[in-house]
Amino acid sequence: MIEPYAILVYENSLYLLAIDTEDNSPDGQSPKHFKLDRIEQVEQTDDRFRPDTAFDPNSFYGHSIGIYHDPQTLHFRIRVHQRVAAWACEAPFHPQQTITPDGDGVILEFDGYFNEIVPMVLKLGAFAEILEPTEAREHMAQVGNFYQERYGE
């Protein structure tokens, strides 16, 4: 059984944010996303639940740029080259980012989730550089090494 808290639209799909009361895993009582297209069967019951009034979906997604959630946020500083800086300012990486001019581009600064931000930086290729956090820089170096091994001479 699930306890629903919100319905969300993300990348042209509908998601249900709910707690799965039958999940006995360590994080089983944490809200999860259920893509409505993937729900195969629904059974109506007479069971009722009282939503946790302290739970606020907007706060839950406070550091997200989509529907991803992680209990740990990281502080990001990203240098973006002038060639894509206008895009980074018009379509922000993150709604709470600050933008500081930096020579031939800008520095973006915000708190966010590793699994959301790193793919966005990878999309920009050589036109973006993660300055902080260290673990994201190290990950980018590993990705670079992988591609060098795969495509290098």
Short mmCIF file of all heavy atoms in Angstrom, two decimals, residues 64-109:
data_model
loop_
_atom_site.label_atom_id
_atom_site.label_comp_id
_atom_site.label_asym_id
_atom_site.label_seq_id
_atom_site.Cartn_x
_atom_site.Cartn_y
_atom_site.Cartn_z
N SER A 64 16.69 20.41 -5.57
CA SER A 64 16.62 19.63 -6.80
C SER A 64 16.32 20.52 -8.00
O SER A 64 15.68 21.55 -7.88
CB SER A 64 15.54 18.57 -6.66
OG SER A 64 15.46 17.79 -7.83
N ILE A 65 16.75 20.08 -9.16
CA ILE A 65 16.39 20.76 -10.39
C ILE A 65 15.36 19.93 -11.16
O ILE A 65 14.97 20.28 -12.26
CB ILE A 65 17.63 21.02 -11.28
CG1 ILE A 65 18.37 19.73 -11.55
CG2 ILE A 65 18.51 22.06 -10.65
CD1 ILE A 65 19.51 19.84 -12.53
N GLY A 66 14.95 18.84 -10.56
CA GLY A 66 13.96 17.96 -11.18
C GLY A 66 13.16 17.29 -10.08
O GLY A 66 12.59 17.96 -9.23
N ILE A 67 13.16 15.98 -10.10
CA ILE A 67 12.45 15.24 -9.05
C ILE A 67 13.40 14.37 -8.24
O ILE A 67 12.97 13.57 -7.42
CB ILE A 67 11.30 14.38 -9.62
CG1 ILE A 67 11.82 13.31 -10.58
CG2 ILE A 67 10.26 15.26 -10.27
CD1 ILE A 67 10.77 12.28 -10.97
N TYR A 68 14.69 14.54 -8.46
CA TYR A 68 15.67 13.75 -7.72
C TYR A 68 15.76 14.28 -6.29
O TYR A 68 15.66 15.48 -6.04
CB TYR A 68 17.04 13.84 -8.39
CG TYR A 68 18.08 12.97 -7.74
CD1 TYR A 68 18.11 11.61 -7.98
CD2 TYR A 68 19.00 13.51 -6.86
CE1 TYR A 68 19.05 10.80 -7.37
CE2 TYR A 68 19.95 12.71 -6.25
CZ TYR A 68 19.97 11.36 -6.51
OH TYR A 68 20.89 10.57 -5.89
N HIS A 69 15.97 13.37 -5.35
CA HIS A 69 16.17 13.77 -3.96
C HIS A 69 17.25 12.90 -3.34
O HIS A 69 17.31 11.70 -3.58
CB HIS A 69 14.89 13.62 -3.14
CG HIS A 69 15.09 13.99 -1.71
ND1 HIS A 69 15.13 15.29 -1.28
CD2 HIS A 69 15.29 13.23 -0.62
CE1 HIS A 69 15.35 15.32 0.02
NE2 HIS A 69 15.45 14.07 0.45
N ASP A 70 18.09 13.53 -2.57
CA ASP A 70 19.15 12.84 -1.85
C ASP A 70 19.28 13.56 -0.52
O ASP A 70 19.21 14.79 -0.48
CB ASP A 70 20.46 12.96 -2.63
CG ASP A 70 21.59 12.11 -2.07
OD1 ASP A 70 21.74 12.08 -0.83
OD2 ASP A 70 22.33 11.51 -2.86
N PRO A 71 19.45 12.84 0.57
CA PRO A 71 19.58 13.54 1.86
C PRO A 71 20.82 14.43 1.94
O PRO A 71 20.87 15.34 2.74
CB PRO A 71 19.63 12.43 2.90
CG PRO A 71 19.69 11.14 2.17
CD PRO A 71 19.45 11.39 0.72
N GLN A 72 21.82 14.18 1.08
CA GLN A 72 23.05 14.96 1.14
C GLN A 72 23.15 15.91 -0.05
O GLN A 72 23.19 15.48 -1.20
CB GLN A 72 24.28 14.06 1.16
CG GLN A 72 25.57 14.84 1.21
CD GLN A 72 26.80 13.96 1.06
OE1 GLN A 72 26.71 12.78 0.80
NE2 GLN A 72 27.96 14.55 1.23
N THR A 73 23.21 17.20 0.24
CA THR A 73 23.48 18.17 -0.81
C THR A 73 24.96 18.52 -0.77
O THR A 73 25.62 18.38 0.27
CB THR A 73 22.66 19.46 -0.63
OG1 THR A 73 22.96 20.03 0.63
CG2 THR A 73 21.17 19.19 -0.74
N LEU A 74 25.47 18.97 -1.89
CA LEU A 74 26.86 19.39 -2.00
C LEU A 74 26.89 20.82 -2.51
O LEU A 74 26.01 21.25 -3.25
CB LEU A 74 27.62 18.48 -2.99
CG LEU A 74 27.68 17.01 -2.63
CD1 LEU A 74 28.25 16.21 -3.80
CD2 LEU A 74 28.52 16.80 -1.38
N HIS A 75 27.93 21.55 -2.11
CA HIS A 75 28.08 22.91 -2.58
C HIS A 75 28.89 22.88 -3.88
O HIS A 75 30.02 22.39 -3.91
CB HIS A 75 28.79 23.78 -1.54
CG HIS A 75 28.87 25.21 -1.96
ND1 HIS A 75 27.77 26.03 -1.92
CD2 HIS A 75 29.89 25.94 -2.46
CE1 HIS A 75 28.11 27.23 -2.37
NE2 HIS A 75 29.39 27.20 -2.70
N PHE A 76 28.29 23.37 -4.96
CA PHE A 76 28.92 23.36 -6.28
C PHE A 76 29.39 24.76 -6.66
O PHE A 76 28.70 25.74 -6.45
CB PHE A 76 27.94 22.87 -7.35
CG PHE A 76 27.76 21.39 -7.37
CD1 PHE A 76 26.82 20.80 -6.56
CD2 PHE A 76 28.54 20.60 -8.19
CE1 PHE A 76 26.66 19.43 -6.55
CE2 PHE A 76 28.38 19.23 -8.20
CZ PHE A 76 27.45 18.64 -7.38
N ARG A 77 30.58 24.81 -7.25
CA ARG A 77 31.10 25.97 -7.95
C ARG A 77 31.53 25.47 -9.31
O ARG A 77 32.34 24.55 -9.42
CB ARG A 77 32.29 26.60 -7.21
CG ARG A 77 31.88 27.29 -5.92
CD ARG A 77 33.06 27.99 -5.23
NE ARG A 77 33.53 29.10 -6.05
CZ ARG A 77 34.78 29.21 -6.56
NH1 ARG A 77 35.69 28.29 -6.31
NH2 ARG A 77 35.12 30.24 -7.30
N ILE A 78 30.96 26.06 -10.35
CA ILE A 78 31.20 25.59 -11.72
C ILE A 78 31.60 26.78 -12.58
O ILE A 78 30.88 27.78 -12.62
CB ILE A 78 29.94 24.92 -12.30
CG1 ILE A 78 29.53 23.73 -11.42
CG2 ILE A 78 30.17 24.49 -13.75
CD1 ILE A 78 28.16 23.17 -11.74
N ARG A 79 32.73 26.66 -13.26
CA ARG A 79 33.15 27.69 -14.21
C ARG A 79 32.56 27.32 -15.57
O ARG A 79 32.73 26.20 -16.04
CB ARG A 79 34.67 27.77 -14.31
CG ARG A 79 35.13 28.83 -15.32
CD ARG A 79 36.65 28.92 -15.45
NE ARG A 79 37.23 29.41 -14.20
CZ ARG A 79 38.13 28.75 -13.47
NH1 ARG A 79 38.56 27.56 -13.86
NH2 ARG A 79 38.61 29.28 -12.37
N VAL A 80 31.86 28.28 -16.18
CA VAL A 80 31.24 28.07 -17.48
C VAL A 80 31.85 29.05 -18.47
O VAL A 80 31.89 30.26 -18.21
CB VAL A 80 29.70 28.26 -17.39
CG1 VAL A 80 29.06 28.06 -18.74
CG2 VAL A 80 29.11 27.29 -16.37
N HIS A 81 32.34 28.55 -19.58
CA HIS A 81 32.99 29.36 -20.62
C HIS A 81 31.97 30.32 -21.25
O HIS A 81 30.79 30.01 -21.35
CB HIS A 81 33.58 28.43 -21.68
CG HIS A 81 34.43 29.11 -22.68
ND1 HIS A 81 33.92 29.68 -23.82
CD2 HIS A 81 35.77 29.33 -22.70
CE1 HIS A 81 34.90 30.21 -24.52
NE2 HIS A 81 36.04 30.00 -23.87
N GLN A 82 32.47 31.46 -21.73
CA GLN A 82 31.60 32.48 -22.30
C GLN A 82 30.75 31.96 -23.46
O GLN A 82 29.65 32.44 -23.70
CB GLN A 82 32.41 33.69 -22.77
CG GLN A 82 33.34 33.40 -23.93
CD GLN A 82 34.19 34.60 -24.29
OE1 GLN A 82 34.13 35.63 -23.64
NE2 GLN A 82 34.99 34.47 -25.34
N ARG A 83 31.24 30.94 -24.15
CA ARG A 83 30.48 30.39 -25.29
C ARG A 83 29.11 29.83 -24.87
O ARG A 83 28.19 29.83 -25.67
CB ARG A 83 31.32 29.30 -25.97
CG ARG A 83 30.70 28.79 -27.22
CD ARG A 83 31.71 28.03 -28.02
NE ARG A 83 31.07 27.40 -29.15
CZ ARG A 83 31.67 26.58 -29.96
NH1 ARG A 83 32.93 26.29 -29.77
NH2 ARG A 83 31.03 26.04 -30.96
N VAL A 84 29.01 29.34 -23.63
CA VAL A 84 27.73 28.81 -23.14
C VAL A 84 27.23 29.57 -21.91
O VAL A 84 26.21 29.21 -21.34
CB VAL A 84 27.83 27.30 -22.83
CG1 VAL A 84 28.08 26.50 -24.09
CG2 VAL A 84 28.87 27.02 -21.78
N ALA A 85 27.93 30.64 -21.53
CA ALA A 85 27.55 31.38 -20.33
C ALA A 85 26.16 31.99 -20.45
O ALA A 85 25.39 32.00 -19.48
CB ALA A 85 28.57 32.46 -20.01
N ALA A 86 25.80 32.50 -21.62
CA ALA A 86 24.47 33.10 -21.79
C ALA A 86 23.40 32.05 -21.54
O ALA A 86 22.40 32.32 -20.86
CB ALA A 86 24.33 33.68 -23.19
N TRP A 87 23.61 30.85 -22.06
CA TRP A 87 22.65 29.77 -21.83
C TRP A 87 22.55 29.45 -20.34
O TRP A 87 21.46 29.27 -19.81
CB TRP A 87 23.05 28.52 -22.60
CG TRP A 87 22.26 27.33 -22.20
CD1 TRP A 87 21.03 26.98 -22.66
CD2 TRP A 87 22.61 26.36 -21.22
NE1 TRP A 87 20.60 25.84 -22.03
CE2 TRP A 87 21.56 25.44 -21.12
CE3 TRP A 87 23.72 26.18 -20.40
CZ2 TRP A 87 21.58 24.36 -20.26
CZ3 TRP A 87 23.74 25.10 -19.54
CH2 TRP A 87 22.68 24.20 -19.48
N ALA A 88 23.69 29.38 -19.66
CA ALA A 88 23.71 29.04 -18.23
C ALA A 88 22.99 30.10 -17.40
O ALA A 88 22.48 29.80 -16.33
CB ALA A 88 25.14 28.86 -17.74
N CYS A 89 22.97 31.31 -17.88
CA CYS A 89 22.27 32.39 -17.17
C CYS A 89 20.78 32.42 -17.52
O CYS A 89 19.95 32.73 -16.68
CB CYS A 89 22.91 33.74 -17.49
SG CYS A 89 24.62 33.88 -16.91
N GLU A 90 20.44 32.09 -18.76
CA GLU A 90 19.04 32.11 -19.20
C GLU A 90 18.27 30.87 -18.74
O GLU A 90 17.10 30.95 -18.39
CB GLU A 90 18.97 32.18 -20.73
CG GLU A 90 19.46 33.47 -21.31
CD GLU A 90 19.64 33.40 -22.81
OE1 GLU A 90 19.28 32.35 -23.42
OE2 GLU A 90 20.13 34.37 -23.38
N ALA A 91 18.91 29.73 -18.79
CA ALA A 91 18.30 28.46 -18.37
C ALA A 91 19.17 27.91 -17.25
O ALA A 91 20.04 27.09 -17.47
CB ALA A 91 18.25 27.48 -19.54
N PRO A 92 18.97 28.40 -16.04
CA PRO A 92 19.91 28.11 -14.94
C PRO A 92 20.10 26.62 -14.67
O PRO A 92 19.19 25.82 -14.84
CB PRO A 92 19.28 28.79 -13.74
CG PRO A 92 18.13 29.57 -14.22
CD PRO A 92 17.83 29.17 -15.62
N PHE A 93 21.32 26.30 -14.24
CA PHE A 93 21.61 24.97 -13.73
C PHE A 93 20.71 24.69 -12.55
O PHE A 93 20.24 23.58 -12.35
CB PHE A 93 23.06 24.91 -13.23
CG PHE A 93 24.04 24.38 -14.23
CD1 PHE A 93 24.26 25.03 -15.41
CD2 PHE A 93 24.74 23.23 -13.96
CE1 PHE A 93 25.17 24.56 -16.33
CE2 PHE A 93 25.67 22.74 -14.87
CZ PHE A 93 25.88 23.42 -16.06
N HIS A 94 20.53 25.71 -11.73
CA HIS A 94 19.80 25.55 -10.48
C HIS A 94 19.06 26.84 -10.18
O HIS A 94 19.60 27.92 -10.38
CB HIS A 94 20.80 25.23 -9.36
CG HIS A 94 20.16 24.67 -8.14
ND1 HIS A 94 19.54 25.45 -7.21
CD2 HIS A 94 20.01 23.39 -7.72
CE1 HIS A 94 19.06 24.69 -6.25
NE2 HIS A 94 19.33 23.43 -6.55
N PRO A 95 17.82 26.75 -9.68
CA PRO A 95 17.05 27.97 -9.44
C PRO A 95 17.67 28.90 -8.39
O PRO A 95 17.39 30.09 -8.39
CB PRO A 95 15.68 27.47 -8.98
CG PRO A 95 15.80 26.02 -8.77
CD PRO A 95 17.05 25.54 -9.42
N GLN A 96 18.52 28.37 -7.53
CA GLN A 96 19.11 29.19 -6.48
C GLN A 96 20.58 29.53 -6.77
O GLN A 96 21.30 29.96 -5.88
CB GLN A 96 18.98 28.47 -5.13
CG GLN A 96 17.53 28.32 -4.73
CD GLN A 96 17.29 27.13 -3.81
OE1 GLN A 96 18.19 26.34 -3.55
NE2 GLN A 96 16.08 26.99 -3.35
N GLN A 97 21.01 29.38 -8.02
CA GLN A 97 22.40 29.64 -8.33
C GLN A 97 22.71 31.14 -8.28
O GLN A 97 21.86 31.97 -8.56
CB GLN A 97 22.76 29.09 -9.70
CG GLN A 97 22.23 29.90 -10.87
CD GLN A 97 22.52 29.24 -12.20
OE1 GLN A 97 22.75 28.04 -12.30
NE2 GLN A 97 22.52 30.03 -13.27
N THR A 98 23.95 31.43 -7.90
CA THR A 98 24.46 32.79 -8.04
C THR A 98 25.43 32.77 -9.22
O THR A 98 26.04 31.74 -9.52
CB THR A 98 25.18 33.28 -6.78
OG1 THR A 98 26.28 32.41 -6.49
CG2 THR A 98 24.23 33.31 -5.58
N ILE A 99 25.54 33.90 -9.89
CA ILE A 99 26.37 34.00 -11.08
C ILE A 99 27.37 35.12 -10.86
O ILE A 99 26.98 36.25 -10.56
CB ILE A 99 25.51 34.29 -12.32
CG1 ILE A 99 24.47 33.19 -12.51
CG2 ILE A 99 26.39 34.46 -13.56
CD1 ILE A 99 23.40 33.52 -13.52
N THR A 100 28.65 34.80 -11.01
CA THR A 100 29.71 35.79 -10.84
C THR A 100 30.55 35.82 -12.11
O THR A 100 31.05 34.78 -12.54
CB THR A 100 30.62 35.41 -9.65
OG1 THR A 100 29.81 35.23 -8.49
CG2 THR A 100 31.66 36.49 -9.40
N PRO A 101 30.69 37.01 -12.75
CA PRO A 101 31.56 37.08 -13.94
C PRO A 101 32.97 36.63 -13.60
O PRO A 101 33.47 36.87 -12.50
CB PRO A 101 31.54 38.58 -14.29
CG PRO A 101 30.29 39.10 -13.66
CD PRO A 101 30.09 38.29 -12.41
N ASP A 102 33.61 35.94 -14.57
CA ASP A 102 34.95 35.40 -14.33
C ASP A 102 35.72 35.39 -15.65
O ASP A 102 35.65 34.40 -16.40
CB ASP A 102 34.86 33.99 -13.75
CG ASP A 102 36.21 33.38 -13.49
OD1 ASP A 102 36.99 33.96 -12.71
OD2 ASP A 102 36.50 32.32 -14.07
N GLY A 103 36.41 36.46 -15.95
CA GLY A 103 37.24 36.51 -17.16
C GLY A 103 36.47 36.17 -18.42
O GLY A 103 35.65 36.95 -18.88
N ASP A 104 36.70 34.97 -18.94
CA ASP A 104 36.05 34.56 -20.19
C ASP A 104 34.80 33.71 -19.96
O ASP A 104 34.46 32.87 -20.76
CB ASP A 104 37.06 33.81 -21.07
CG ASP A 104 37.53 32.51 -20.44
OD1 ASP A 104 37.30 32.31 -19.24
OD2 ASP A 104 38.13 31.70 -21.16
N GLY A 105 34.10 33.96 -18.87
CA GLY A 105 32.89 33.21 -18.59
C GLY A 105 32.28 33.64 -17.27
O GLY A 105 32.39 34.81 -16.87
N VAL A 106 31.64 32.70 -16.60
CA VAL A 106 31.00 32.97 -15.31
C VAL A 106 31.26 31.81 -14.36
O VAL A 106 31.57 30.69 -14.78
CB VAL A 106 29.47 33.19 -15.44
CG1 VAL A 106 29.16 34.42 -16.26
CG2 VAL A 106 28.78 31.95 -16.01
N ILE A 107 31.11 32.09 -13.07
CA ILE A 107 31.15 31.05 -12.04
C ILE A 107 29.72 30.92 -11.51
O ILE A 107 29.10 31.90 -11.10
CB ILE A 107 32.08 31.43 -10.86
CG1 ILE A 107 33.50 31.71 -11.34
CG2 ILE A 107 32.02 30.36 -9.77
CD1 ILE A 107 34.32 30.50 -11.67
N LEU A 108 29.21 29.70 -11.54
CA LEU A 108 27.90 29.39 -10.96
C LEU A 108 28.14 28.77 -9.60
O LEU A 108 29.03 27.94 -9.44
CB LEU A 108 27.15 28.40 -11.84
CG LEU A 108 27.02 28.74 -13.32
CD1 LEU A 108 26.29 27.63 -14.06
CD2 LEU A 108 26.31 30.07 -13.50
N GLU A 109 27.31 29.15 -8.62
CA GLU A 109 27.47 28.61 -7.28
C GLU A 109 26.10 28.31 -6.70
O GLU A 109 25.18 29.12 -6.78
CB GLU A 109 28.20 29.65 -6.42
CG GLU A 109 28.80 29.06 -5.18
CD GLU A 109 29.87 29.98 -4.56
OE1 GLU A 109 30.37 30.90 -5.22
OE2 GLU A 109 30.18 29.72 -3.39
#
